[in-house]
Amino acid sequence: MAEFEQFVVGDRITWWADSHGRGLEPDAPGARQGTGTICHVVRDRAGEGPAVALIVDCRGILGSYQYVVRPDYGHRPERVATLE
């Protein structure tokens, strides 16, 4: 989960997952790329401790939606851009 500490609200990220949401390598069969902007970094109830998930605003053909990126699902997000 330490790898999720580098991300902040406003970062644009990308990740790869299968059709069930499990993280994959980009070249894996059936890998689908997700891209979006972090709107919330999830921590414990007090808002402290390590980041356990990222809530990401995404846009698709049918409109916008939110996706949960989690290290325990095998997601390995990469920063595309930072909001400054």
Side-chain angles (χ1 to χ4, degrees), residues 15-38:
W15 66 95
W16 295 87
D18 66 11
S19 62
H20 300 288
R22 295 177 295 242
L24 290 175
E25 293 294 327
D27 58 350
R32 299 175 181 189
Q33 183 178 24
T35 303
T37 304
I38 297 173

Side-chain angles (χ1 to χ4, degrees), residues 5-75:
E5 293 301 317
Q6 66 179 313
F7 299 109
V8 296
V9 171
D11 281 353
R12 186 152 177 79
I13 63 170
T14 189
W15 66 95
W16 295 87
D18 66 11
S19 62
H20 300 288
R22 295 177 295 242
L24 290 175
E25 293 294 327
D27 58 350
R32 299 175 181 189
Q33 183 178 24
T35 303
T37 304
I38 297 173
C39 64
H40 186 73
V41 178
V42 180
R43 300 181 185 279
D44 66 16
R45 290 182 187 209
E48 301 171 357
V52 295
L54 305 171
I55 308 298
V56 182
D57 283 330
C58 304
R59 292 188 185 250
I61 295 172
L62 299 176
S64 61
Y65 61 96
Q66 290 187 327
Y67 192 90
V68 180
V69 176
R70 295 174 44 167
D72 57 329
Y73 284 0
H75 296 135

